[in-house]
Amino acid sequence: KDGVCGECTVSRDCNEKFRCQYFPTSGRHMCVRRDLSEQWSWREGVCTVLIIITAMLSAAAGMGGGGVYVPLLLLLLDFSTKEAVPLSQAMIVGGATVNIIMFCGERHPKYQRKPKIDYDVVMMLNPGLAAGVTLGVMLNVITPQWIIVLVLILTLVLALQKSLTKGLQQFKRESKALAEQSVQGGGGASTQQTKAAEVKIRLADLGSFASLAQDNARPLTLIVGCWLVFLGANVFKAPQCSTMYWLQLVGLVAICVAFTTAGAQTLRIQGGGGVDSAEGMLAWTPETLWLYPLLSTAAGFLGGFLGIGGGIIMGPLLLELGMVAEASQATTAMFVFLSSSLATIQFMFLGRAMPEYALWFTAWVLVATFVGQTLVDYVLQRWKRSSLIVLSIAGIIGGSLVMMTAVGAKDIIHDIIRGADMGFSPMNLCK
């Protein structure tokens, strides 16, 4: 009656899309269907504000922000993981869509004939990233929580150290360069800086995108083809642990290898060297043609295994491989868009979406991402500090480290209290 389905102690005792609510008249806790407008409280307000801040920071980093969104929903709104992950993916795909719209017509900061989104890199690394995430999720299901949390801390601490160090070093170099420019240019530099300090509203440059797409037709074809293959596999997924399931899994890995091989052949046809080996871009050599896809597979595996997605690993990886910060931001956003759009479509087919919550939070993420990107453009024009992008990546990693560790520790304590098995559970894979 009235959505009440039974007594409960905490929300995890209730079915999906229900929460545990106290009724003073009866003095009992009952499971009731979630309703954002009727159940609005300070928790929803705080969660919304923190999601807006995270979305703005994620826009600067080119990341999804799922490592912060999911813990916020778990800790503040008492969502279950099954409820939080689909909602988080809806927010991520919303922010990623705004990023891609704003980046699609932009050109590389150093090489104007190249796009800011490095389609060659996406073409080569996305198949491995997707395969890695698939395998990582499988291992996550059978691995005890304490091992996942331990690996999570080690991975994110390393990624935080790398990105923060690189960001601070770049900030110091930029400060030194600006100081020298100010001394040499005198008052002229200050005047020029003031003129550049106008906030410009940037929308999609469709004309520029059409030109860039024509020049990158083959890489884009392979990227879209790989995305469609994984979409089909997600929509027509075989029953867990059936013979068809394993055949489908092997087939997906083989297809990823085929797409990567086709990408390598494309780079060979294009000539490989020249601009591609210049400063700020990934150098494609006979060695890196197989090494970089393997690194992206490892990044995807870690992202899937730790439940944080591949984008948060790919951002620092691209910087470490030598990609300039602005291009890394745009290229990482493309990786995030491809993976989050697949996940969101899959959750919609499974009926896991929560429309009211998804519309509310995603609408704020859309606005916050646009504002965040506009502010980043302003900072880059006003102070010429691309280190902001690298430091934003460090900020998202740091936030994810704190939030995911807190959630993981809470789950471990809960498992210990209820006497749960703390070892590997291979049978979970077939549930």
Side-chain angles (χ1 to χ4, degrees):
K1 183 180 179 181
D2 296 327
V4 177
C5 65
E7 291 193 60
C8 57
T9 304
V10 292
S11 291
R12 70 170 59 194
D13 296 333
C14 304
N15 293 329
E16 196 173 333
K17 300 181 182 179
F18 283 74
R19 61 176 286 186
C20 190
Q21 183 172 321
Y22 178 69
F23 288 87
T25 53
S26 62
R28 300 160 69 189
H29 288 83
M30 306 293 290
C31 291
V32 297
R33 183 171 290 278
R34 290 187 180 275
D35 188 304
L36 180 63
S37 55
E38 289 188 5
Q39 297 164 358
W40 180 271
S41 68
W42 67 268
R43 289 177 176 271
E44 281 74 14
V46 171
C47 188
T48 301
V49 172
L50 292 177
I51 282 174
I52 290 172
I53 295 172
T54 302
M56 293 178 69
L57 197 59
S58 298
M63 292 179 167
V68 179
Y69 293 149
V70 171
L72 284 176
L73 295 171
L74 293 175
L75 296 174
L76 282 175
L77 302 189
D78 203 19
F79 275 36
S80 68
T81 304
K82 288 184 177 181
E83 294 168 328
V85 171
L87 181 54
S88 170
Q89 289 296 332
M91 290 188 276
I92 292 170
V93 78
T97 301
V98 173
N99 279 332
I100 296 303
I101 289 173
M102 298 180 77
F103 285 138
C104 67
E106 293 287 301
R107 295 177 181 269
H108 196 280
K110 290 179 178 288
Y111 313 103
Q112 287 299 300
R113 295 184 64 182
K114 290 281 186 177
K116 182 180 278 191
I117 300 174
D118 196 325
Y119 296 114
D120 289 344
V121 171
V122 178
M123 171 185 68
M124 286 298 296
L125 303 191
N126 192 56
L129 182 70
V133 168
T134 301
L135 298 175
V137 169
M138 292 175 61
L139 185 61
N140 172 277
V141 172
I142 67 174
T143 304
Q145 187 69 22
W146 66 270
I147 292 181
I148 295 174
V149 172
L150 181 61
V151 177
L152 174 75
I153 293 173
L154 293 174
T155 301
L156 292 186
V157 165
L158 179 62
L160 177 60
Q161 185 269 330
K162 290 283 187 182
S163 55
L164 186 59
T165 301
K166 188 177 286 289
L168 291 175
Q169 289 174 346
Q170 187 172 338
F171 184 86
K172 290 178 182 178
R173 288 196 301 269
E174 291 167 349
S175 297
K176 184 178 179 181
L178 288 172
E180 292 175 353
Q181 182 183 355
S182 178
V183 171
Q184 294 172 2
S190 177
T191 304
Q192 187 178 8
Q193 209 174 49
T194 304
K195 288 181 180 178
E198 297 177 1
V199 178
K200 295 182 180 179
I201 304 300
R202 176 162 57 94
L203 300 174
D205 188 341
L206 297 180
S208 177
F209 171 68
S211 174
L212 292 170
Q214 187 174 3
D215 294 339
N216 294 271
R218 186 174 173 85
L220 281 169
T221 300
L222 290 174
I223 292 168
V224 174
C226 184
W227 186 88
L228 289 173
V229 167
F230 271 86
L231 175 63
N234 286 338
V235 173
F236 303 104
K237 193 172 184 179
Q240 204 80 353
C241 288
S242 64
T243 303
M244 187 56 67
Y245 170 82
W246 296 111
L247 289 174
Q248 191 178 61
L249 182 63
V250 172
L252 276 178
V253 173
I255 288 172
C256 287
V257 173
F259 272 108
T260 304
T261 304
Q265 184 62 30
T266 299
L267 290 177
R268 291 191 187 99
I269 293 172
Q270 291 175 352
V275 167
D276 290 329
S277 58
E279 182 184 0
M281 298 191 74
L282 268 60
W284 294 111
T285 65
E287 181 183 357
T288 59
L289 282 175
W290 62 264
L291 177 60
Y292 289 174
L294 282 180
L295 290 176
S296 73
T297 303
F301 179 83
L302 277 174
F305 174 64
L306 301 175
I308 54 178
I312 198 171
I313 309 291
M314 285 302 297
L317 176 62
L318 292 177
L319 291 173
E320 199 65 25
L321 294 179
M323 184 176 283
V324 70
E326 294 94 328
S328 171
Q329 176 198 27
T331 306
T332 302
M334 186 66 172
F335 282 120
V336 171
F337 173 76
L338 292 171
S339 60
S340 61
S341 57
L342 278 175
T344 301
I345 292 172
Q346 183 180 7
F347 286 132
M348 289 175 64
F349 272 102
L350 293 173
R352 300 270 294 277
M354 300 173 67
E356 189 179 16
Y357 285 87
L359 286 173
W360 171 258
F361 288 118
T362 303
W364 282 111
V365 168
L366 290 171
V367 175
T369 302
F370 180 77
V371 172
Q373 280 293 357
T374 303
L375 290 177
V376 169
D377 286 346
Y378 172 79
V379 171
L380 290 177
Q381 293 170 17
R382 175 70 170 83
W383 290 289
K384 309 296 182 185
R385 289 193 179 276
S386 58
S387 57
L388 172 68
I389 297 171
V390 186
L391 293 173
S392 296
I393 291 174
I396 288 294
I397 294 172
S400 299
L401 173 61
V402 173
M403 300 292 287
M404 295 294 286
T405 301
V407 170
K410 180 182 176 184
D411 288 342
I412 292 172
I413 293 171
H414 179 75
D415 288 342
I416 293 174
I417 291 175
R418 67 186 181 91
D421 182 13
M422 304 296 281
F424 286 89
S425 305
M427 294 308 296
N428 285 347
L429 187 62
C430 298
K431 289 183 179 179

